[in-house]
Amino acid sequence: MAEQATVSGFRLSPQQERVWELQQEAAEQVCYGTQCELLLEGELEAERLERAIKEVVQQHEILRTKYRRLPEMKIPVQVIEAQGKVRFEQGELQGKSEAEQQAEISRLYEAVRQGIGKNGAGLHVQVMKAGAGSSVVVLSTAAMNLDAIGMKNLVEKISRRYESETGADSPLQYADLSEWQHDLLESEDMEQGREFWRAQEKTAGGIKLPRGEGAGEGLAYVKLRLGQVLSRRVAELAQEQQSSGERLLLACWQTLLCRLSGQTEIVVGVASAGRNYEGLGEALGLFGKYLPLRMQMTGGKEFLQLWQESSAAVAEMEKWQEYYRWNGNGEQELSAGIVVGYEYLELPAAVQRGGVSWRIRALYSCYERQQLKLVCIREEEELVVELHYERGVMSEAGARRMLAQYEQVVRSVSADVRVELARVEVLSEAERKQLLEEWNDTEDVDYASAKCLHELFEEQVARTPAAVAV
């Protein structure tokens, strides 16, 4: 009789279980991972950096974790290895223009993203010399290891270790925290939290935006800078209303979705840190999740009212975020129609450590299935917005047009927060000019006046047989 194979490890956290299930369904072009681009200015010592990274990896079990599953197991377990795997590569960007450097970094991002997926794969580090006293470092790992906040925490720990090269860290280990999360969800005295999410799923419906233009597979994104003037105005408005720019920008996203879809009920998956409890703020691991936020956009509702209602609803959801689960607690909502998300990130200011300036220039994390997601990023004094989309749903041109419309919504409500949602300006200046001037300019068109309308129609069909008539 053959000996039965066994594997010893720790249960996945609820968030890890979710990502694992998504990975089993995902096309090869969809990668659930987390990446970070660092700009290091100063005389960087590459060997010292490599030692610092490896020491941090040894201190944090989640960076030494693989996910193993026997054939009879539905989901894997966390298996912590004695030695972490760090893939450390060095390259050159010197002699290239800024645009060429960014194109090369983007290419490396994409290439690594496809290889950091399903088994943990450790930490992938790319160090590229960009110029005299300037280096770019790209850190990549699987989403089951780190979310965006976890990646920011990792950078902080690496920079501190690079500076000191001594001292021991006694971190909270993720395997223990994942077990604690299960205990929390399974405890008998947490019925109130579970009841809160059951109430959220009593109504169904999603967002159905016009489909078309999209081609291909996989995820892509476009980005737009809002400029310092508009970014400052957002901060001022938030202060005036005793709210936050994060919530104002969310209400702008809900407004645009309402106007484009024509729906009066909007559901958006709002990214939540999942770190309410003491000690979790600095922990490494995957804690983030997207909570389904449902808002009514009926009648003559003003933007300010939507902003206030949306902010209050998010605050209430975040009180119960630890009890949200995907198997029946709201997942139906996010699966209905197009899956639309919202995320807000703040990139920390540059810090001086070990004679080097450390600054996070870009941060990417994908741990949920979404066809359309707006990411708003605060970079010191300026806001940057990114639209992440599935290529099969939207073209790059369509995504850029949508971002321009979003910017126009932000400008419109910044001028008057009491504007009715139906009157919020959506068209960008370029679109408005195209609609009112270019497409209405018929002075030089020579129509065949001797022909009937149906004859002109037939001629157009012959010229463009594949085009939609109306």
Side-chain angles (χ1 to χ4, degrees), residues 140-370:
S140 306
T141 192
M144 290 175 71
N145 298 342
L146 295 177
D147 53 21
I149 295 178
M151 181 62 83
K152 287 199 293 184
N153 292 343
L154 174 61
V155 172
E156 174 74 8
K157 293 175 187 298
I158 291 172
S159 67
R160 289 189 180 279
R161 178 47 60 102
Y162 180 88
E163 179 179 49
S164 67
E165 291 197 272
T166 58
D169 193 4
S170 301
L172 293 171
Q173 298 295 354
Y174 189 76
D176 297 328
L177 294 172
S178 64
E179 194 60 37
W180 164 76
Q181 287 178 304
H182 280 290
D183 291 342
L184 194 65
L185 287 168
E186 294 163 4
S187 61
E188 292 295 330
D189 57 347
M190 296 304 172
E191 183 59 29
Q192 190 175 1
R194 289 193 286 266
E195 182 57 37
F196 174 83
W197 289 112
R198 278 197 289 266
Q200 305 308 305
E201 67 178 59
K202 287 181 179 176
T203 55
I207 301 174
K208 295 180 175 62
L209 294 176
R211 300 177 68 94
E213 294 187 340
E217 294 180 315
L219 302 174
Y221 77 94
V222 294
K223 65 190 299 182
L224 176 71
R225 292 186 173 274
L226 295 185
Q228 291 191 3
V229 174
L230 184 56
S231 299
R232 280 197 298 269
R233 180 57 183 152
V234 168
E236 290 168 0
L237 269 178
Q239 189 173 19
E240 290 171 12
Q241 298 298 325
Q242 298 181 325
S243 183
S244 67
E246 176 181 359
R247 298 291 171 248
L248 186 155
L249 295 169
L250 169 59
C252 289
W253 182 226
Q254 292 168 308
T255 300
L256 179 61
L257 293 171
C258 172
R259 294 292 299 277
L260 294 182
S261 68
Q263 293 176 225
T264 56
E265 185 177 76
I266 299 295
V267 181
V268 175
V270 179
S272 176
R275 296 169 182 262
N276 273 355
Y277 287 82
E278 185 178 356
L280 297 186
E282 298 179 357
L284 300 191
L286 172 63
F287 296 91
K289 59 184 75 171
Y290 286 82
L291 306 177
L293 173 64
R294 177 181 303 281
M295 294 303 300
Q296 296 293 332
M297 323 279 280
T298 55
K301 182 176 288 189
E302 295 179 350
F303 176 80
L304 179 58
Q305 183 183 355
L306 169 66
W307 180 8
Q308 293 169 338
E309 291 176 356
S310 178
S311 298
V314 171
E316 188 67 16
M317 288 197 313
E318 289 186 338
K319 282 169 52 180
W320 305 104
Q321 60 184 302
E322 278 79 17
Y323 312 107
Y324 178 77
R325 299 209 62 168
W326 295 267
N327 54 346
N329 271 341
E331 169 57 15
Q332 303 94 319
E333 303 181 350
L334 288 178
S335 295
I338 240 176
V339 181
V340 178
Y342 171 80
E343 184 175 8
Y344 181 86
L345 298 171
E346 287 192 2
L347 300 188
V351 295
Q352 293 287 333
R353 301 257 168 83
V356 175
S357 170
W358 300 68
R359 182 165 72 88
I360 297 178
R361 285 206 306 195
L363 193 56
Y364 168 88
S365 186
C366 177
Y367 53 86
E368 183 55 84
R369 181 187 67 240
Q370 291 168 331

